[in-house]
Amino acid sequence: PKMTVDIVVTVEQTAVLLIKRAKPPFMDRLVLPGGHVDATDTSFAQAAARELFEEVGLKVAPEALSFLMKLNAPGRDPRYDTESAVYTINVSHVVAAQAQAGSDARELVFCSINSLKPADMGFDHWLAISKLKEVLA
């Protein structure tokens, strides 16, 4: 499988930063920022920090990210087999206000964690939101 990373960015542990995808698969669906681990990445956390900057313009240190879970169900990405390391980071409203759509993002969306439903999201990213709810409970 191709190795990927996804990042759950919470805003003061009440909202989550999502992107509306600009291209298939799951075009116009809400997904977590993330992407492929590159050969230049020294760790999964470093790849997650790089992808967070590329996709939403937030610069964070890899050490500031916390591992949440792994997503690896067959067919999770209709293009090819992937395995994703999912990280989380909680940011302030001030930091979140600096976010801007980039690369795969049509637009950024801030949603209440409790308002999200599986049908709102692409890939299997709902599973990460569900896990986050458990952690925050």
Side-chain angles (χ1 to χ4, degrees), residues 60-75:
V60 302
E63 305 81 46
L65 297 164
S66 299
F67 180 78
L68 180 66
M69 68 187 302
K70 181 168 47 171
L71 294 172
N72 62 356

Side-chain angles (χ1 to χ4, degrees), residues 47-90:
R50 177 184 52 75
E51 284 290 342
L52 191 58
F53 181 71
E54 289 175 5
E55 294 213 348
V56 299
L58 295 181
K59 190 164 184 70
V60 302
E63 305 81 46
L65 297 164
S66 299
F67 180 78
L68 180 66
M69 68 187 302
K70 181 168 47 171
L71 294 172
N72 62 356
R76 64 178 300 270
D77 187 323
R79 298 168 292 184
Y80 35 72
D81 285 338
T82 63
E83 185 170 308
S84 185
V86 182
Y87 288 86
T88 186
I89 187 167
N90 187 53

Side-chain angles (χ1 to χ4, degrees), residues 6-11 14-22 26 28-34 52 55-58 68 86-89 91 96 99-102 104-130 132-133:
D6 293 301
I7 308 94
V8 181
V9 179
T10 56
V11 182
T14 59
V16 65
L17 170 61
L18 300 168
I19 64 171
K20 187 177 279 192
R21 276 188 60 87
F26 303 106
D28 293 326
R29 300 284 297 278
L30 298 176
V31 298
L32 300 170
L52 191 58
E55 294 213 348
V56 299
L58 295 181
L68 180 66
V86 182
Y87 288 86
T88 186
I89 187 167
V91 299
Q100 54 190 354
D104 293 344
R106 181 180 306 282
E107 68 180 280
L108 300 182
V109 179
F110 292 91
C111 294
S112 163
I113 295 168
N114 293 321
S115 72
L116 285 167
K117 297 172 182 48
D120 298 333
M121 303 190 73
F123 300 102
D124 56 357
H125 291 177
W126 167 253
L127 296 173
I129 299 300
S130 181
L132 177 69
K133 287 180 177 184

